[in-house]
């Protein structure tokens, strides 16, 4: 029977579980252990699959099974369909955070190490002591890919266009403020909280937050609109490094207002309004639609989003 003539009415769906396990494990022995089957049963299932699909599916390379080109084309779609079936057939569970166990991965910049993880840690300690939250880096230049490549349950990112398989929730707007160390001679005479004059802003050298190493950001676009530019002296991939560099030098930086307020005392910083208009960034939470109804993921999303929406400030 050819590939295009598969009789799905008679195809044993358990064979697809075997195929998925072979993709993951690359071995009939390991697949058998994962499925609590004998190796001979897995080998028999693979033989039936080969006959049904008219393809070798796997070839042996050393001690590992390697998927054929045809089988490799099935891998992602098969996993997704099995997850859909599992979600379809699993009855809704009553989620009890006090007893639930599991891990929840959040992909985000280290901004959230300062603003989210401390209150989230306190909340989990009190309400869900057996759950673990992990903060992991975003995938540079492709934040949405963090959901798959970082195995993240949510990603916290600036608003952008999203593929159809991703859900989103708006969380908070983040204006930008200028930070400088309190004894920076370049800000002599300026009072904390006032607007930094344009000539001072452009004359002083800047630290720029950029995980990708870009030399320009939203602040530069805003300066360009008023015919000005600034001197970027360095880029740093983490906000904590930006704040420390400013706190120990005569450099200044544009950072999210909420972060500036949080770390000003720790790093001995003064905080100023920028001299030009910069539209606040809208921060959103995104997650894979397949996790919409997963009880633990839904509960954790609601806790994280509640903490984050409290950060919203007027532009």
């Amino acid at each position: 029977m050819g590939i295009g003539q598969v009789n799905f009415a008679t195809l044993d769906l358990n064979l697809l579980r075997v195929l998925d396990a072979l993709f993951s494990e690359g071995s009939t022995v390991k697949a058998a252990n994962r499925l609590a089957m004998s190796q001979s049963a897995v080998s028999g299932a693979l033989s039936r699959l080969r006959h049904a699909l008219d393809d070798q599916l796997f070839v042996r390379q050393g001690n590992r099974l390697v998927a054929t080109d045809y089988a490799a084309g099935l891998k992602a779609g098969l996993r997704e369909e099995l997850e859909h079936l599992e979600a379809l057939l699993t009855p809704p569970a009553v989620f009890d955070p006090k007893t639930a166990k599991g891990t929840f991965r959040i992909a985000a910049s280290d901004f959230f190490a300062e603003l989210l993880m401390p209150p989230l840690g306190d909340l989990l300690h009190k309400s869900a002591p057996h759950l673990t939250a992990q903060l992991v880096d975003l995938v540079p230049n492709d934040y949405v890919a963090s959901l798959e490549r970082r195995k993240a349950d949510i990603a916290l990112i600036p608003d952008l266009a999203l593929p159809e398989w991703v859900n989103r929730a708006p969380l908070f707007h983040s204006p930008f403020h200028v930070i400088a160390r309190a004894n920076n001679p370049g800000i002599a005479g300026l009072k904390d909280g006032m607007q930094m004059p344009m000539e001072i802003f452009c004359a002083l050298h800047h630290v720029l937050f950029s995980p990708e190493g870009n030399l320009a950001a939203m602040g530069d676009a805003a300066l360009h609109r008023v015919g000005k530019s600034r001197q970027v002296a360095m880029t740093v991939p983490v906000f904590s490094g930006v704040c420390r560099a400013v706190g120990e030098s005569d450099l200044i930086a544009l950072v999210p207002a909420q972060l500036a307020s949080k770390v000003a005392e720790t790093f001995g910083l003064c905080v100023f309004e920028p001299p030009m208009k910069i539209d606040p960034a809208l921060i959103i939470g995104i997650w894979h639609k397949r996790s919409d109804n997963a009880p633990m993921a839904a509960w954790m999303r609601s806790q994280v989003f509640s903490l984050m929406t409290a950060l919203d400030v007027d532009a």
Side-chain angles (χ1 to χ4, degrees), residues 66-282:
V66 177
T68 64
D69 289 348
Y70 169 68
L74 301 177
K75 183 177 179 179
L78 175 64
R79 176 93 296 270
E80 188 168 342
E81 291 306 318
L82 288 174
E83 287 175 349
H84 286 162
L85 279 173
E86 184 178 0
L88 180 67
L89 299 175
T90 301
V94 176
F95 181 76
D96 181 1
K98 285 288 186 185
T99 58
K101 296 180 180 179
T103 300
F104 188 79
R105 288 169 69 85
I106 304 163
S109 74
D110 74 314
F111 171 98
F112 294 94
E114 294 283 349
L115 276 299
L116 169 63
M117 300 310 280
L120 181 61
D122 184 58
L123 184 153
L124 292 180
H125 178 70
K126 294 174 180 175
S127 303
H130 305 296
L131 294 185
T132 301
Q134 292 184 297
L135 183 67
V136 299
D137 287 337
L138 293 162
V139 172
N141 295 312
D142 191 356
Y143 293 163
V144 176
S146 304
L147 295 176
E148 300 281 86
R149 289 168 55 188
R150 299 288 193 256
K151 296 182 173 60
D153 296 287
I154 57 171
L156 306 175
I157 63 174
D159 195 17
L160 47 71
L162 299 170
E164 60 85 24
W165 54 271
V166 174
N167 273 342
R168 70 185 290 279
L171 299 180
F172 63 93
H173 288 86
S174 185
F176 291 91
H177 283 166
V178 186
I179 54 172
R181 67 170 175 163
N183 58 349
N184 183 328
I187 63 166
L190 299 184
K191 293 184 178 179
D192 193 45
M194 71 182 292
Q195 185 178 55
M196 178 173 283
M198 180 68 79
E199 61 272 18
I200 293 177
F201 183 84
C202 294
L204 294 175
H205 287 199
H206 290 244
V207 185
L208 177 63
F209 167 75
S210 177
E212 301 85 7
N214 298 325
L215 289 169
M218 292 176 66
D220 298 278
L223 280 172
H224 181 73
R225 286 194 291 271
V226 294
K228 301 289 186 179
S229 63
R230 63 174 172 171
Q231 175 67 44
V232 173
M234 68 172 66
T235 71
V236 179
V238 290
F239 279 113
S240 57
V242 171
C243 297
R244 184 165 298 281
V246 170
E248 298 182 17
S249 74
D250 291 335
L251 301 171
I252 64 172
L254 270 174
V255 298
Q258 293 91 340
L259 180 66
S261 175
K262 175 81 172 179
V263 305
E265 183 176 353
T266 300
F267 289 100
L269 306 175
C270 290
V271 181
F272 304 97
E273 295 284 343
M276 67 289 188
K277 177 177 172 55
I278 309 175
D279 291 332
L282 172 61

